[in-house]
């Protein structure tokens, strides 16, 4: 997944270590060589984006080109993080795809109201996850025109 010869960084925010590993494996299965980072909750997501704490060494590095966001996480959930990201002028243009187990209409409506770009329910099988990652990659980095990274 390249955009004009430039690698796009993917950031996954998910509290489940198995889901983080399976998502990473699905990227590898699709032979997508993107830089891939994963964080465990909304607090760590915001630290990563603002380059605070253990992510200070990333200052000057491009922000993620896509965030995959779970909704139900400890400390700060995905809804709170989404609201915070979309309220921040430096972060609001980062595309965010909610990738969650919730099929609740309330979650779908609320996250779109908060500015999410897409809402996807996590597939049950690894094979389905691999296919989903393939489709997401094709759509977000080959079809859609993304704004340039301003860093």
């Amino acid at each position: 997944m390249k955009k004009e010869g430039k690698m796009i960084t993917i950031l996954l925010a998910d509290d489940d270590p198995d889901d983080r590993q399976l998502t990473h494996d699905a990227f590898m299965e699709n032979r997508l060589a993107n830089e891939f980072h994963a964080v465990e909750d909304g607090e760590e997501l915001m630290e990563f984006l603002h380059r605070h704490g253990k992510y200070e060494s990333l200052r000057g590095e491009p922000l993620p080109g896509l965030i995959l966001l779970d909704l139900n996480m400890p400390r700060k959930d995905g809804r709170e993080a989404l609201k915070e990201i979309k309220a921040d002028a430096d972060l609001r243009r980062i595309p965010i795809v909610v990738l969650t187990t919730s099929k609740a209409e309330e979650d779908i409506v609320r996250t779109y109201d908060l500015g999410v770009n897409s809402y996807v329910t996590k597939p049950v099988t690894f094979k389905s996850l691999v296919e989903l990652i393939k489709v997401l990659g094709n759509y977000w980095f080959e079809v859609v025109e993304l704004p340039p990274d301003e860093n």
Side-chain angles (χ1 to χ4, degrees), residues 35 51 57-64 149 151:
E35 189 169 335
R51 310 307 201 217
S57 64
L58 295 176
R59 285 186 194 266
E61 295 292 319
L63 289 169
D149 181 17
N151 288 339

Side-chain angles (χ1 to χ4, degrees), residues 64-76:
L66 179 67
I67 297 172
L68 302 176
L69 181 66
D70 187 25
L71 292 182
N72 300 312
M73 298 181 291
R75 297 197 312 154
K76 180 181 288 185

Side-chain angles (χ1 to χ4, degrees), residues 34-114:
N34 296 71
E35 189 169 335
F36 183 92
H37 295 274
V39 296
E40 296 181 12
D41 57 46
E43 287 289 334
E44 190 178 358
L45 169 61
M46 299 314 298
E47 287 175 11
F48 183 97
L49 293 174
H50 290 295
R51 310 307 201 217
H52 293 155
K54 66 182 179 181
Y55 299 106
E56 282 187 45
S57 64
L58 295 176
R59 285 186 194 266
E61 295 292 319
L63 289 169
L66 179 67
I67 297 172
L68 302 176
L69 181 66
D70 187 25
L71 292 182
N72 300 312
M73 298 181 291
R75 297 197 312 154
K76 180 181 288 185
D77 72 16
R79 296 162 201 84
E80 295 167 312
L82 174 61
K83 185 176 182 179
E84 198 172 321
I85 291 166
K86 293 302 181 181
D88 187 317
D90 295 329
L91 305 175
R92 72 172 55 128
R93 289 185 183 159
I94 301 171
I96 300 176
V97 174
V98 166
L99 184 59
T100 188
T101 57
S102 174
K103 292 183 182 182
E105 185 176 324
E106 178 184 335
D107 283 333
I108 297 168
V109 170
R110 184 170 178 213
T111 56
Y112 276 111
D113 285 348
L114 291 171

